[in-house]
Amino acid sequence: MKKMKIYRDSLAEMKKVVANLTEQTTDLEVERRVAEIIDAVKVRKDEALKEYEKKFDNLDIENFEISSAEINEAFRNLDPKIKEALFLAKKNIVSYHEFEKEQGFIDTKTPGIIRGQKVTPLEKVGIYVPGGTAAYPSTILMTALPAKIAGVDQVIMVTPPQKGGVNQAVLAAAKIAGVDAIYQVGGAQAIAALAYGTESIPAVNKIVGPGNIYVATAKKQVFGKVAIDMVAGPSEIGILADKNANAKELAADLLSQAEHDVRARAILITDDEQIAQKVSDEVTKQLEDLPRKSIATQSINERGFIAIMKSIPEMFELMNVVAPEHLEVQLEDAMKYLSLIRNAGSVFLGRYASEPLGDYVAGPNHVLPTGGTAKFSSPLGVYDFIKKTSFINFSKEALNNDMNAITSLAREEGLEAHARAIEVRFNN
Amino acid sequence: MKKMKIYRDSLAEMKKVVANLTEQTTDLEVERRVAEIIDAVKVRKDEALKEYEKKFDNLDIENFEISSAEINEAFRNLDPKIKEALFLAKKNIVSYHEFEKEQGFIDTKTPGIIRGQKVTPLEKVGIYVPGGTAAYPSTILMTALPAKIAGVDQVIMVTPPQKGGVNQAVLAAAKIAGVDAIYQVGGAQAIAALAYGTESIPAVNKIVGPGNIYVATAKKQVFGKVAIDMVAGPSEIGILADKNANAKELAADLLSQAEHDVRARAILITDDEQIAQKVSDEVTKQLEDLPRKSIATQSINERGFIAIMKSIPEMFELMNVVAPEHLEVQLEDAMKYLSLIRNAGSVFLGRYASEPLGDYVAGPNHVLPTGGTAKFSSPLGVYDFIKKTSFINFSKEALNNDMNAITSLAREEGLEAHARAIEVRFNN
């Protein structure tokens, strides 16, 4: 195999390299097929869902809903070690996400005027859980628990049907997370069902969770009819390390993301030539006996790289342009660099904050902005499952005080009926 | 003209009527033309912008940026009455939106574990301001001020060029709001420029503000590359009123939204036959001498209606299905109904909280979710211009405590490299 690519260019040059990383591609053929699926489900509902499950998965689905007997059975049969780990994860996810709850506010400082904001949970939320090897029980906790903490009435899960039945750990995790109903339906058709509702599956207000290109495209197409979380791309890790870091640990952390997907991206930025070389060697060595070697090798070869910068501030500046999903700061006294971090989904500070810790049990969400979208997006959180409503109450006198300003602006904007709606209250 | 339609159906029947109101239509031809414009601007940048401005507006634009001399001139020449009104609006918008600022958090309860969330403003934001009669100075304050309060470094405005130069009140309002740069470019090409950047116009992280179908479609297409606010539809008002309300005032408030757009929607829900009749008569009467009579008449005829329900709780239940952009509660002791409101963008409580008060000077944002999206979206706010980053710091002992849970879950999910990244820290 090839060695991990090492760049020794200037910061300015490297910024250009990074700017060209986040290409977005739209596949018009996928767009067209997804639009067709959505239209079919909108009109023919369950009948269309059944046809697509037959066509794509060669499965005849009679009942989309998975019975509570089956879910309870999966929970009972779950390996006690996994059960314990999921309950630990739940405890920490809940205690972290409780901090994200919002309260609204009320402002009563001005006599005669009340202004405020009310926070209301969404009524129904849909969670997409991929099938096959990408069916991660941990992701069910990460998506369903924040919705539950927000106070969502109904958290609905959809997941592709499988020949031998849906992954048992997935069903058990859904029970632990408090998911209200599970439907076995996948792909763009599942997204369409959640957006428009069918005889079996209720329409929701928001759809979250990862999925393949069909799922991602469908989410983008139903955006506006319902809310969606960001359309997630392949996983990424960016590591900042100096000469004191441990090359074996850095290599292991890079590979923990590379094993996800051939399009995953693992990046090391350092100020030290030796650590760059050592990590590159270690990556090659550790790749040898990884079960997912071929995936990780392709990711490292095609998308991974190491960049050597002149100083720690330059390292942070470049990493802020990358805006990685996961950022590890493997520098001494790591906490002190928090103020230099502008763009990242989740930050892992210090030697023992290895990225997989955040994937499972630390508590912060592992559904994170990818592909540079950390420049404008947040981790999935309780705030994704609430919405705000402003309110005002004015006395007659308070409205009278503002009348001239309102009517002047309304008439300036050519909106006479706006002005009259205020005036009618005083000459009525 | 026709009278405003009055429904006397049951709640269940009315819910069906309302569910069919919010049809979404996609215009494939518009989609295709917008995609073409975006591709052209992405590749040929300023050159493409100039061609489109020539083609669509028949204007030759040399410099896209409007000079500070021109902006200052517009500010100096602004009608003092309008200037005073805009400064009053600014003061109240700022004092309301200050409540929306977020602080992040840090959790240090468990020895050896630090978990937190850091709030960072977006770096660059673009605001779209429509041209012609829809160029509202008030909207500039409502979009730019929350971005400024969030701490955005650069707030950039784009607005279509006009034969006689850009609307002077718009330029003055941009100065009052603290907009950092104004570019005269409109339509889908302006959105493309903000998303991808050109020689003249910097790329931004988020695009907000209202626009026509081309602007809305372009925003949807660049979503993912940048963040966008909700794609806004025509304006709406829903009023809840009983027999004690004043029919003249209700009619005036309905018309204040109807005058915006032939597709605007004005709805009254009441429990009283007489007030329904009186409002319907008043609407007809007040329409007579409105400057925007033809727009408002078409809106009222085609999209407005009155629904008579059996009780106040039924009125709220139906209105929550409508989920209106603006909701007026014209009931006695209006504040006490706050808990019955689930879905609305902005709520106006009591006789003197007339909707246009909220459009201009009350302080809450007037960029609000339309078309039923108040079920899952919030008013534009400071929270739209920040993003969150989670962070963790673990001691060796704390990581050791969680090691078994992490490695069990990683191996259950088939992610061996995840497990090894943790273990390497203890057998290294």
Side-chain angles (χ1 to χ4, degrees):
Chain A
M1 68 156 287
K2 291 188 289 182
K3 285 275 174 186
M4 206 167 164
K5 181 169 178 58
I6 302 181
Y7 287 99
R8 293 175 183 82
D9 301 279
S10 69
L11 175 62
E13 277 305 310
M14 279 312 295
K15 282 187 179 178
K16 284 185 212 153
V17 170
V18 167
N20 290 324
L21 292 181
T22 53
E23 78 295 342
Q24 257 213 332
T25 51
T26 310
D27 185 329
L28 285 178
E29 179 54 21
V30 172
E31 295 270 354
R32 198 191 54 69
R33 278 151 71 187
V34 166
E36 209 175 279
I37 292 170
I38 293 173
D39 282 344
V41 173
K42 216 161 128 178
V43 176
R44 295 190 298 114
K45 303 175 192 287
D46 278 355
E47 191 191 315
L49 292 184
K50 284 176 188 176
E51 283 173 20
Y52 285 120
E53 290 303 340
K54 181 71 182 168
K55 184 174 167 190
F56 298 139
D57 300 319
N58 196 25
L59 288 169
D60 294 295
I61 309 296
E62 275 310 306
N63 286 313
F64 289 106
E65 187 164 4
I66 296 178
S67 71
S68 54
E70 194 178 334
I71 297 165
N72 289 332
E73 170 84 3
F75 179 72
R76 267 195 309 276
N77 294 338
L78 186 66
D79 176 348
K81 223 171 48 181
I82 301 297
K83 196 181 281 185
E84 194 190 335
L86 288 173
F87 273 106
L88 174 69
K90 177 181 177 176
K91 181 175 81 85
N92 293 339
I93 294 167
V94 169
S95 67
Y96 181 86
H97 286 78
E98 287 280 347
F99 282 97
E100 293 179 345
K101 281 166 87 169
E102 293 175 62
Q103 307 301 335
F105 58 83
I106 186 156
D107 170 21
T108 59
K109 279 192 295 289
T110 311
I113 296 180
I114 290 169
R115 308 188 301 176
Q117 191 170 76
K118 169 183 152 87
V119 173
T120 314
L122 307 192
E123 205 176 321
K124 290 179 193 167
V125 164
I127 293 174
Y128 189 89
V129 177
T133 57
Y136 296 146
S138 56
T139 302
I140 296 166
L141 301 188
M142 292 289 183
T143 46
L145 289 171
K148 282 284 167 183
I149 293 167
V152 170
D153 293 344
Q154 236 189 315
V155 177
I156 289 157
M157 191 176 115
V158 294
T159 191
Q162 308 284 329
K163 287 240 157 45
V166 168
N167 181 325
Q168 296 293 292
V170 161
L171 296 184
K175 188 178 165 73
I176 292 169
V179 167
D180 297 291
I182 308 175
Y183 299 93
Q184 49 179 334
V185 57
Q189 62 272 24
I191 302 299
L194 289 173
Y196 292 97
T198 71
E199 296 87 348
S200 306
I201 300 172
V204 301
N205 306 122
K206 184 163 187 167
I207 303 171
V208 302
N212 64 18
I213 177 78
Y214 288 92
V215 171
T217 303
K219 278 169 70 181
K220 208 171 159 178
Q221 288 189 10
V222 299
F223 168 69
K225 170 74 174 108
V226 298
I228 61 170
D229 58 350
M230 258 291 150
V231 176
S235 195
E236 300 156 354
I237 187 168
I239 303 182
L240 297 167
D242 62 11
K243 64 179 179 344
N244 299 310
N246 181 305
K248 279 189 190 171
E249 294 168 14
L250 300 184
D253 291 357
L254 290 169
L255 291 174
S256 77
Q257 294 311 292
E259 78 170 338
H260 268 295
D261 189 332
V262 296
R263 295 185 308 140
R265 192 183 300 279
I267 299 175
L268 170 68
I269 302 179
T270 179
D271 57 356
D272 187 71
E273 176 69 39
Q274 284 209 316
I275 198 88
Q277 290 291 353
K278 277 198 268 182
V279 170
S280 171
D281 292 346
E282 266 297 327
V283 165
T284 308
K285 200 168 134 194
Q286 292 183 26
L287 265 172
E288 274 316 303
D289 64 338
L290 268 193
R292 294 165 74 99
K293 179 180 172 180
S294 73
I295 292 172
T297 303
Q298 193 179 339
S299 157
I300 290 290
N301 283 348
E302 293 176 5
R303 316 201 17 122
F305 66 85
I306 299 172
I308 303 174
M309 291 283 104
K310 284 212 194 68
S311 66
I312 289 181
E314 278 199 5
M315 287 160 53
F316 278 94
E317 201 177 329
L318 181 58
M319 195 60 94
N320 282 327
V321 181
V322 176
E325 180 190 20
H326 306 99
L327 168 60
E328 281 190 9
V329 183
Q330 296 282 353
L331 299 169
E332 289 197 359
D333 206 358
M335 285 286 291
K336 78 174 179 194
Y337 294 108
L338 254 182
S339 59
L340 293 187
I341 300 165
R342 175 141 204 173
N343 301 320
S346 189
V347 182
F348 299 78
L349 297 154
R351 181 168 175 190
Y352 296 99
S354 171
E355 193 283 330
L357 166 62
D359 284 340
Y360 296 114
V361 302
N365 212 288
H366 80 200
V367 179
L368 296 165
T370 60
T373 59
K375 285 172 189 152
F376 49 79
S377 296
S378 304
L380 193 72
V382 175
Y383 35 80
D384 281 296
F385 301 107
I386 56 101
K387 35 88 178 192
K388 293 156 183 174
T389 301
S390 58
F391 60 86
I392 57 172
N393 177 275
F394 269 57
S395 69
K396 184 172 185 177
E397 198 190 345
L399 181 63
N400 194 29
N401 287 340
D402 286 345
M403 177 153 64
N404 286 337
I406 301 169
T407 55
S408 299
L409 288 172
R411 289 185 172 119
E412 168 71 23
E413 295 184 351
L415 298 171
E416 177 65 22
H418 281 60
R420 291 186 190 175
I422 304 301
E423 287 168 347
V424 69
R425 276 148 166 102
F426 297 94
N427 51 26
N428 188 356
Chain B
M1 67 157 288
K2 292 190 289 184
K3 286 277 175 186
M4 207 168 162
K5 181 168 178 57
I6 303 181
Y7 287 100
R8 292 174 184 82
D9 300 280
S10 69
L11 175 60
E13 277 305 311
M14 278 312 295
K15 281 187 179 178
K16 286 185 211 154
V17 170
V18 167
N20 290 322
L21 291 180
T22 54
E23 77 296 342
Q24 257 212 332
T25 51
T26 310
D27 186 328
L28 284 179
E29 179 55 20
V30 172
E31 295 270 355
R32 199 191 54 70
R33 278 152 70 186
V34 166
E36 207 176 279
I37 292 169
I38 292 173
D39 281 344
V41 173
K42 214 160 128 179
V43 177
R44 295 191 297 114
K45 303 176 193 283
D46 278 355
E47 190 191 315
L49 291 184
K50 283 178 188 175
E51 283 172 20
Y52 286 120
E53 289 304 340
K54 181 70 183 172
K55 184 174 168 191
F56 298 139
D57 299 320
N58 196 25
L59 288 169
D60 294 296
I61 308 296
E62 276 310 306
N63 286 312
F64 288 106
E65 185 164 6
I66 296 178
S67 71
S68 55
E70 195 179 334
I71 297 165
N72 289 333
E73 171 83 5
F75 179 73
R76 268 197 306 277
N77 293 339
L78 186 66
D79 176 349
K81 223 170 49 180
I82 301 299
K83 195 181 284 187
E84 193 189 337
L86 287 174
F87 273 106
L88 174 69
K90 176 180 177 175
K91 180 174 81 86
N92 293 338
I93 293 167
V94 169
S95 68
Y96 181 87
H97 286 78
E98 286 281 347
F99 281 97
E100 294 179 346
K101 282 166 87 167
E102 292 175 62
Q103 307 301 335
F105 58 82
I106 186 156
D107 170 21
T108 59
K109 279 192 294 288
T110 311
I113 297 180
I114 290 169
R115 309 188 300 176
Q117 192 171 74
K118 169 183 153 84
V119 173
T120 314
L122 307 192
E123 204 177 321
K124 289 177 193 169
V125 164
I127 293 174
Y128 190 89
V129 177
T133 56
Y136 297 146
S138 56
T139 302
I140 296 166
L141 300 188
M142 291 290 183
T143 47
L145 289 171
K148 282 283 167 184
I149 292 167
V152 170
D153 293 343
Q154 236 189 316
V155 177
I156 288 158
M157 190 176 116
V158 293
T159 190
Q162 308 283 330
K163 288 240 157 44
V166 169
N167 181 324
Q168 296 292 293
V170 161
L171 296 183
K175 187 178 167 70
I176 292 168
V179 166
D180 297 291
I182 308 175
Y183 298 93
Q184 49 178 335
V185 57
Q189 61 272 24
I191 301 300
L194 289 173
Y196 293 96
T198 71
E199 297 87 348
S200 306
I201 299 172
V204 300
N205 306 122
K206 183 162 188 167
I207 304 171
V208 301
N212 64 18
I213 176 78
Y214 288 92
V215 171
T217 303
K219 278 170 68 181
K220 208 171 158 178
Q221 289 189 9
V222 299
F223 168 69
K225 170 73 175 106
V226 298
I228 61 169
D229 58 349
M230 259 289 151
V231 176
S235 195
E236 301 156 355
I237 187 169
I239 304 182
L240 297 166
D242 63 10
K243 64 179 180 343
N244 299 311
N246 181 304
K248 278 189 189 169
E249 294 168 13
L250 301 184
D253 291 356
L254 291 169
L255 291 175
S256 76
Q257 294 311 293
E259 78 170 338
H260 269 295
D261 189 331
V262 295
R263 296 183 308 141
R265 193 183 300 280
I267 298 174
L268 170 67
I269 303 179
T270 179
D271 58 356
D272 186 72
E273 176 69 39
Q274 283 209 317
I275 198 89
Q277 290 293 351
K278 276 198 269 180
V279 170
S280 170
D281 291 346
E282 267 296 328
V283 164
T284 308
K285 200 168 133 195
Q286 291 183 26
L287 265 173
E288 273 315 304
D289 65 338
L290 268 192
R292 293 166 74 100
K293 180 180 172 178
S294 73
I295 292 172
T297 303
Q298 194 179 338
S299 156
I300 291 289
N301 283 349
E302 292 177 6
R303 317 205 12 126
F305 66 85
I306 300 172
I308 303 175
M309 292 283 104
K310 284 212 193 69
S311 66
I312 288 181
E314 279 200 4
M315 286 160 53
F316 278 94
E317 202 178 329
L318 181 59
M319 195 60 94
N320 281 328
V321 182
V322 175
E325 180 190 19
H326 306 99
L327 168 60
E328 282 189 9
V329 183
Q330 297 282 353
L331 299 169
E332 290 195 359
D333 207 358
M335 285 286 290
K336 78 173 180 195
Y337 295 107
L338 254 182
S339 60
L340 294 187
I341 300 166
R342 175 140 203 174
N343 301 319
S346 189
V347 183
F348 299 77
L349 298 153
R351 180 168 175 190
Y352 297 100
S354 171
E355 194 282 332
L357 165 62
D359 285 339
Y360 296 113
V361 301
N365 213 288
H366 80 201
V367 179
L368 296 165
T370 59
T373 60
K375 284 170 191 157
F376 50 79
S377 298
S378 304
L380 193 71
V382 174
Y383 36 80
D384 281 296
F385 301 107
I386 57 102
K387 36 88 178 190
K388 292 155 183 174
T389 301
S390 57
F391 59 86
I392 57 172
N393 177 275
F394 268 57
S395 70
K396 184 172 185 177
E397 198 190 347
L399 182 63
N400 194 30
N401 287 340
D402 286 345
M403 178 154 62
N404 286 338
I406 301 169
T407 55
S408 300
L409 288 172
R411 291 188 170 117
E412 167 72 24
E413 294 184 353
L415 299 172
E416 177 65 21
H418 281 60
R420 292 188 189 175
I422 303 301
E423 287 167 348
V424 70
R425 278 152 165 97
F426 297 94
N427 51 27
N428 189 355

